[in-house]
């Protein structure tokens, strides 16, 4: 499985985003330890704070399918180049990896893919 495949899944699912308020669509796909890919898009609500980000939707789908560890996540928005995860989603991703430096976060920058480690995006993270 290449990161191109993972990104394509994020691109595909971004088409299902429900974003009538922000008009900002996002798709995310996570690669679990098992090798399976799980996808999610953002879905908004008239009560704005109820909005769920694409990344958390994808992580939720992985967890619902029995996954406990995530190796990589690809994120895509047709509305923004290099669409990086928000702070809340970074913390949620942190929950599902043993080591932040081993979780790859992949974004699309023009025609190129850019890869960050979660450790770079969420330094000094919180754990219990
Ligand atoms: N959004 C995501 O899906 N992921 C992020 O990491 C940042 C923001 C969504 C939430 C909302 O529906 C829209 O993008 C604008 O904030």
């Amino acid at each position: 499985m290449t990161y191109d495949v993972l990104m394509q899944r994020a691109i595909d699912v971004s088409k299902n985003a429900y974003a009538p308020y922000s008009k900002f669509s996002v798709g995310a796909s996570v690669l679990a330890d098992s090798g399976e890919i799980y996808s999610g898009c953002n879905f908004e609500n008239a009560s704005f704070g109820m909005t769920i980000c694409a990344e958390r939707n994808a992580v939720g789908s992985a967890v619902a399918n029995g996954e406990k560890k995530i190796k990589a996540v690809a994120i895509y928005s047709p509305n923004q180049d290099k669409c990086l995860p928000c702070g809340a989603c970074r913390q949620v991703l942190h929950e599902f990896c043993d080591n932040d430096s081993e979780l790859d976060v992949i974004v699309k920058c023009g025609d190129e893919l850019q890869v960050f480690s979660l450790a770079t995006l969420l330094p000094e993270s919180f754990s219990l």
Side-chain angles (χ1 to χ4, degrees):
M1 209 285 311
T2 67
Y3 285 163
D4 286 313
V5 171
L6 197 62
M7 179 55 74
Q8 189 55 52
R9 293 283 290 270
I11 292 169
D12 291 346
V13 73
S14 74
K15 292 171 186 145
N16 295 332
Y18 178 75
Y21 305 105
S22 73
K23 312 256 191 277
F24 192 91
S25 300
V26 186
S29 59
V30 298
L31 172 65
D33 247 9
S34 65
E36 284 298 315
I37 296 175
Y38 302 89
S39 303
C41 55
N42 57 330
F43 60 100
E44 300 183 345
N45 193 276
S47 175
F48 298 160
M50 304 292 285
T51 289
I52 304 289
C53 290
E55 298 90 323
R56 273 177 286 161
N57 194 6
V59 169
S61 174
V63 173
N65 281 281
E67 306 285 359
K68 298 282 180 287
K69 297 286 171 213
I70 288 166
K71 295 206 291 205
V73 54
I75 304 151
Y76 174 79
S77 172
N79 306 107
Q80 188 181 76
D81 214 27
K82 197 174 169 179
C83 181
L84 286 157
C86 75
C89 288
R90 293 177 196 201
Q91 179 66 30
V92 168
L93 289 165
H94 166 69
E95 187 72 22
F96 294 99
C97 64
D98 286 327
N99 190 332
D100 290 352
S101 61
E102 285 168 16
L103 197 161
D104 284 342
V105 179
I106 303 118
V107 294
K108 202 162 185 301
C109 219
D111 290 336
E112 302 288 313
L113 296 186
Q114 230 179 312
V115 183
F116 297 86
S117 76
L118 183 62
T120 305
L121 300 178
L122 189 72
E124 307 288 344
S125 55
F126 173 76
S127 303
L128 285 178

